[in-house]
Structures are given as C-alpha cells and as structure tokens.
Amino acid sequence: MRADRLVATLLFLQERGRVTVPEVAAELEVSERTARRDLEALAAAGIPVYSQRGRGGGWSSSAGPVPTSPD
C-alpha cells in the first residue's frame, strides 16, 4: 500500500538524515523510480524533504536525523 510505503520512506529519511534514491529503493524493496516518486510525493504534500543534486547529493529532511537513545 502506498501510504504505508510513504510513511516508511519518511521514517527511513528521518533516521538517516540524508539518503539517496538507491538506498531508499533497497531499503523498501522497490524500484528506484518508485522511490523517487515517493520522495517527490512527500515533498509535494508539504513535508519538509529536499533534494540536492550532484556528487554527495540525495534527499534530506529539514529536521535532520532523529537522535537515538542509548540502550
């Protein structure tokens, strides 16, 4: 279901801080085209995710990575 995948994409992005389309595709087991469309859909929905072109680019969230608690 697409809604589940969009939430999973957002959580993965928040966890990592910056991701590439191939990383998202591998994590969610979808094609790179689907991963790119999902990231674009999140941005179009007003969720603060941004793409950056070029070497070292990718997608990032304005919130950055979410800190994990030490266990």
Side-chain angles (χ1 to χ4, degrees), residues 1-68:
M1 178 178 235
R2 185 167 190 219
D4 293 338
R5 199 174 61 239
L6 290 174
V7 170
T9 301
L10 182 58
L11 291 173
F12 183 62
L13 180 60
Q14 288 179 334
E15 178 185 309
R16 300 280 297 273
R18 174 173 284 166
V19 296
T20 63
V21 169
E23 289 171 340
V24 174
E27 177 71 17
L28 301 179
E29 298 179 351
V30 296
S31 70
E32 289 185 17
R33 182 176 183 177
T34 297
R36 187 175 299 106
R37 285 181 176 175
D38 288 351
L39 288 161
E40 290 170 351
L42 290 172
I47 296 173
V49 296
Y50 307 97
S51 65
Q52 189 172 36
R53 290 179 156 182
R55 188 178 190 119
W59 287 79
S60 60
S61 169
S62 65
V66 176
T68 58

